Amino acid sequence: MSEDVLVPGGRDVRGTLDTPDGEATACVVACPPHPQYGGKRTDARLRALSDALTSQGVACLRFDYGDWDEGRGERTDVQQACRWARDRFGDDRVGLFGYSFGGAVALLAAAADAADGRDLQAVVALAPGAGITGGVERPVPEALGDIVAPVRIVYGSRDTTANWEPVVERARELGLGLVEMSADHHFVGQADKAASHAAEFLLARR
């Protein structure tokens, strides 16, 4: 079952909440890829993750960012979506997922939330790059060390689009979870497999 959601805040952020047949035990907020390159909540990788989660009793909030704001506003969108999910499902019942640009923004948002004392169950970033734009000061590898929640990075070894190497290197230094796939940036033909790696990690910590 799905319902439309308007995420509260100063920006126009709209989402779709996918829920299981029974009562949801937790919720994962899913961040789409770059909005200037067609990234939307209907992204195939976000849908695959949502299907995997709802089949196991966990809700998934897929959302679209508000108007483009060089990364800063998009990070706020993620934090507001997580806040909405906490209000509905409970402070200790929210996980975070992002793909590509969404993966980088999710990691930055998780670090910012941790600094404010708001923790997450777990965070999974699929093919995140090391930065977004000049609108966000901190590079993603630097922010990784501030995230309190368990983190898993899923990346494609044939990815020539995202600058993922610095993220993976820092994650390895910190002892964070890493999953390498023989895939390109888009995980062509492997969206379900990539989603299963993310869902497995998130479900284990609901």
Side-chain angles (χ1 to χ4, degrees), residues 43-68:
D43 180 84
R45 285 131 300 232
L46 270 64
R47 283 186 172 275
L49 175 76
S50 183
D51 288 344
L53 293 173
T54 55
S55 69
Q56 297 298 317
V58 172
C60 183
L61 174 62
R62 299 175 284 114
F63 72 93
D64 293 329
Y65 307 107
D67 291 340
W68 174 243

Side-chain angles (χ1 to χ4, degrees), residues 27-33 43-50 53 60-63 65 78 82 94-107 120 122-127 152 154 187 191 194-199 202:
C27 180
V28 172
V29 174
C31 312
D43 180 84
R45 285 131 300 232
L46 270 64
R47 283 186 172 275
L49 175 76
S50 183
L53 293 173
C60 183
L61 174 62
R62 299 175 284 114
F63 72 93
Y65 307 107
V78 178
C82 288
V94 177
L96 184 57
F97 168 85
Y99 162 59
S100 189
F101 170 88
V105 174
L107 293 170
L120 294 157
V123 183
V124 177
L126 178 62
R152 171 174 281 186
V154 182
F187 296 86
S196 70
H197 285 304
L202 292 161

